[in-house]
Amino acid sequence: MGSSSKMVCVVGAGLAGLVSACELLREGHEVTVIEQRHDVEWASFNNKEMGIGSEKLLKLFVPIAVLAFSVLVPVNWTSGTLEDEKSLSYDQIDKLSISNIGKGSKRFWAHIVMAYVFTFWTFYVLYHEYKVITTMRLRFLANQKHRPDQFTVLVRNIPEDSDETVSEHVQHFFAVNHRDHYLSHQVVYNANTLASLVEKKTGLQNWLVYYENQHAKNPAKNPAIKTGLWGLWGEKVDAIEYYRTTIEELCKQEDEEREKVVSDPSAIMPAAFVSFKSQWGATVCAQTQQTSNPTVWITEWAPEPRNVYWPNLAIPFVSLSVRRLMMTIALFFLTFFFMVPIALVQSLANLDDIERVLPFLKPIIQRNSLRSIIQGFLPGIALKIFLIILPTILMTMSKIEGHISLSGLDRRTASKYFLFLFVNVFLGSVITGTAFQQLDTFIHQPANKIPETVGESIPMKAIFFITYIMVDGWSGIAAEVLRLKPLVMFHIKNTFLVRTDQDREQAMDPGSLDFGSTEPRIQLYFLLGLVYAVVTPILLPFIIVFFSLAYLVFRHQIINVYAQQYESCAQFWPDVHRRIIAALIVSQILLLGLLSTQEAEKSTFALLPLPVLTIWFHYVCKGRFKQAYIKFPLQEAMVKDTLQRATDPTLNLRVYLKDAYVPPVFHRGDMYELVAMDEEEKDPLLVATKRRSRMNTPVDSRLNSSSGTNEGEFSRLRP
């Protein structure tokens, strides 16, 4: 293909087709993608949710590395301070760092100038990337075929009404206040108990299929099991008959619970998914305050159906603040005291204590082989196990906080994990001690001494972090290619848990990319690159190699391996940008603290504007782009509605949205009419209501405008 722009048609909007189209667009060609289906999965777009892509990080760090090796490395190398100090022991790598410059030297001005250059270059790359991702997001939303979430709003904290049910209250409120655009609604049920019954029944059905297959292979023998725990003890019964009887009982319980959920008012939560006839109507509702009381009828864009985390919809809205406060306190203790449980386990490595507490184990402990295993491997294994389960712990904390979308859970988990890595990996390694010891040190010294304490240790830890990048970073990328953990888990499941073809399919499921743990680890290396760009530039090539490998590997994994779990349209990016800004400020403050210990007070003052400029830049980006991740332009919504009416005039939105937000446990034909949206085809002239008139009461009505009405409590005629 020549260098001139050409018109290219890509047939098929699968992963290969989308990637081909993306590459052709980058080369400047005009691309048209043809796909028979309407629900195109734009999985390649989610690659941006890894944060600032590894390709962009290469564009950021390669120029920084070139400048650092052209300017700072010669300045550091030619200083010769370490060679003049005969009493000092140092590594050769220290000659290339800021440690080789004597106190009070004017050479520090080179580092200050480079700090400004690196900061402004980072500003440029971040601003450009923010602009590109925002443009991609808006273009994606504008070009996307219709999806349920584009017409649906989640309404929470619906006020109680003594005369109407939640469903009737919602219908009345939106039929009155959004009368030209309201279409239908689906109330939210507390179906967590029902979901657990369905999950239990599914497991028992798998066991039934397994034993039926066993019986089919050997009809002469009826399989038997024990009814006790894990089938190890208890009464021995016929397996097929036992599971059939148990499943029948569960079906009855499931039907009773399902009927209870849809008929019991206490099982209906004060929340609902409300759908509209147009995207313009949904946009207006999602982005405006519904009543004079801002604490009720709270609206937000509904997540796409596969992005909804259904269990958390049953959490009362009023309890969310308390839950999040509790999890914030728990995160603090987990971050700063995480070594306490590890220390308890590691204390078991003290064999004298074990012999004193459990004297009957003395003959076993005295064996040399067992002694070496306990003392050599147990402490490390305990720490490794904790770090493996840490993302799961953080995800559980995010679920307790009450986030209603899977993408929201991933974003909150990523924030927690990055904080943990920053405190316990970065600061913990720099200061050499646990976070609790750091906290104690910081508390007992003046606040202005903290940057000096940390900054002074930065150059001395360069070799450690270079090793860390190679051992944890490079090997982590290699492990991502090998996928040893999923491979081992597959064989364990296949050996002990797989009983049916459905179980085997689940065991072979590659899963989706874990943004909650992967993205914070990548941003940790970003932090290291910014911190050491001025202090020890020799670390930058190791960072560049890491991001080069990460770009190649994750690009391959996202396209060919992982299954996309949801599409959040780059909602991750504002959080990633905020953490990058925080990393930039940390690097500037640490450089400020380091120079303040080198008798360079005059040059130190030159660095003071940098954190201020960085914060200003953050607010500029936030004001310029952040609204695109919160609100959808009314102009774009109107354009999309017009195009939809022109290109797909036969679309029946009521049918299309019929069961989009019905909980998965209700996806059954015989329950459909009980939980599906209102099927009324013709708009009534009157908005039906069961409210009694209170126009003649001597006191103000309890059901005022904050509960959904503005003038009276009677039915209203539509104009």
Side-chain angles (χ1 to χ4, degrees), residues 553-601:
V553 169
F554 282 112
R555 187 175 185 273
H556 171 271
Q557 300 295 85
I558 291 173
I559 294 174
N560 300 313
V561 178
Y562 289 118
Q564 185 179 5
Q565 188 178 16
Y566 58 82
E567 177 62 77
S568 67
C569 304
Q571 284 284 2
F572 232 104
W573 172 248
D575 292 344
V576 172
H577 181 270
R578 184 174 62 253
R579 287 193 285 273
I580 292 175
I581 292 295
L584 191 59
I585 294 175
V586 167
S587 66
Q588 295 161 354
I589 292 176
L590 294 182
L591 179 62
L592 189 75
L594 174 62
L595 293 183
S596 65
T597 64
Q598 301 298 314
E599 299 179 2
E601 290 81 4

Side-chain angles (χ1 to χ4, degrees), residues 126-144:
L126 286 180
Y127 186 87
H128 180 264
E129 187 68 7
Y130 216 144
K131 182 178 180 180
V132 168
I133 293 178
T134 303
T135 303
M136 289 181 63
R137 169 181 166 81
L138 294 176
R139 186 182 303 164
F140 175 80
L141 293 174
N143 295 336
Q144 181 81 349

Side-chain angles (χ1 to χ4, degrees), residues 94-141:
D94 292 330
K95 293 182 179 180
L96 305 177
S97 72
I98 199 172
S99 301
N100 199 30
I101 297 180
K103 293 185 176 181
S105 174
K106 294 183 178 180
R107 292 173 179 254
F108 286 122
W109 283 103
H111 297 81
I112 294 174
V113 172
M114 285 297 101
Y116 272 91
V117 173
F118 296 164
T119 297
F120 288 133
W121 172 247
T122 304
F123 286 174
Y124 171 77
V125 174
L126 286 180
Y127 186 87
H128 180 264
E129 187 68 7
Y130 216 144
K131 182 178 180 180
V132 168
I133 293 178
T134 303
T135 303
M136 289 181 63
R137 169 181 166 81
L138 294 176
R139 186 182 303 164
F140 175 80
L141 293 174

Side-chain angles (χ1 to χ4, degrees), residues 121-320:
W121 172 247
T122 304
F123 286 174
Y124 171 77
V125 174
L126 286 180
Y127 186 87
H128 180 264
E129 187 68 7
Y130 216 144
K131 182 178 180 180
V132 168
I133 293 178
T134 303
T135 303
M136 289 181 63
R137 169 181 166 81
L138 294 176
R139 186 182 303 164
F140 175 80
L141 293 174
N143 295 336
Q144 181 81 349
K145 296 289 286 186
H146 49 75
R147 300 190 313 180
D149 54 291
Q150 295 173 336
F151 299 91
T152 308
V153 171
L154 175 61
V155 185
R156 309 183 76 178
N157 211 26
I158 299 171
E160 294 183 4
D161 192 298
S162 59
D163 297 329
E164 294 181 326
T165 65
V166 173
S167 180
E168 293 167 344
H169 199 186
V170 171
Q171 181 179 8
H172 183 204
F173 179 86
F174 285 96
V176 170
N177 297 287
H178 297 269
R179 54 190 175 185
D180 294 328
H181 301 280
Y182 166 70
L183 178 67
S184 56
H185 70 276
Q186 170 62 57
V187 295
V188 174
Y189 297 90
N190 184 359
N192 292 343
T193 303
L194 177 60
S196 63
L197 290 175
V198 172
E199 183 179 0
K200 183 178 179 180
K201 187 183 73 172
T202 302
L204 293 178
Q205 287 174 335
N206 286 342
W207 276 110
L208 177 60
V209 172
Y210 169 75
Y211 283 114
E212 287 177 341
N213 293 337
Q214 294 293 102
H215 182 64
K217 294 177 182 178
N218 187 7
K221 182 180 179 181
N222 292 328
I225 62 168
K226 294 181 179 180
T227 58
L229 182 64
W230 296 338
L232 299 178
W233 55 75
E235 181 183 357
K236 195 171 185 179
V237 297
D238 181 271
I240 296 178
E241 185 63 27
Y242 170 77
Y243 281 112
R244 284 178 177 172
T245 304
T246 306
I247 290 173
E248 289 179 1
E249 294 177 356
L250 274 178
C251 286
K252 294 179 181 178
Q253 296 178 23
E254 180 183 333
D255 291 338
E256 293 174 358
E257 181 65 25
R258 186 179 281 109
E259 184 66 28
K260 175 183 176 182
V261 167
V262 297
S263 59
D264 185 4
S266 62
I268 301 177
M269 304 304 298
F273 291 99
V274 180
S275 297
F276 294 83
K277 300 175 184 177
S278 64
Q279 294 188 36
W280 190 91
T283 302
V284 170
C285 180
Q287 299 173 181
T288 55
Q289 182 175 313
Q290 301 304 305
T291 70
S292 58
N293 184 354
T295 63
V296 296
W297 297 105
I298 300 173
T299 57
E300 59 183 289
W301 281 108
E304 63 166 334
R306 59 179 176 169
N307 192 18
V308 176
Y309 185 67
W310 294 98
N312 277 3
L313 286 175
I315 298 176
F317 185 82
V318 293
S319 67
L320 293 181

Side-chain angles (χ1 to χ4, degrees), residues 490-611:
F490 167 74
H491 284 291
I492 292 176
K493 291 179 180 179
N494 194 40
T495 303
F496 299 103
L497 301 178
V498 170
R499 299 176 294 274
T500 63
D501 292 338
Q502 182 181 357
D503 290 339
R504 184 168 286 105
E505 291 179 2
Q506 293 177 354
M508 295 180 64
D509 182 13
S512 59
L513 185 61
D514 187 1
F515 293 108
S517 61
T518 304
E519 186 268 336
R521 295 171 66 87
I522 291 178
Q523 286 203 277
L524 176 65
Y525 299 112
F526 186 93
L527 170 66
L528 294 177
L530 288 179
V531 169
Y532 281 95
V534 177
V535 177
T536 309
I538 195 63
L539 183 136
L540 290 176
F542 297 90
I543 292 287
I544 292 173
V545 171
F546 168 78
F547 285 122
S548 301
L549 296 174
Y551 171 69
L552 295 175
V553 169
F554 282 112
R555 187 175 185 273
H556 171 271
Q557 300 295 85
I558 291 173
I559 294 174
N560 300 313
V561 178
Y562 289 118
Q564 185 179 5
Q565 188 178 16
Y566 58 82
E567 177 62 77
S568 67
C569 304
Q571 284 284 2
F572 232 104
W573 172 248
D575 292 344
V576 172
H577 181 270
R578 184 174 62 253
R579 287 193 285 273
I580 292 175
I581 292 295
L584 191 59
I585 294 175
V586 167
S587 66
Q588 295 161 354
I589 292 176
L590 294 182
L591 179 62
L592 189 75
L594 174 62
L595 293 183
S596 65
T597 64
Q598 301 298 314
E599 299 179 2
E601 290 81 4
K602 294 183 179 179
S603 58
T604 301
F605 283 107
L607 287 173
L608 292 177
L610 272 183

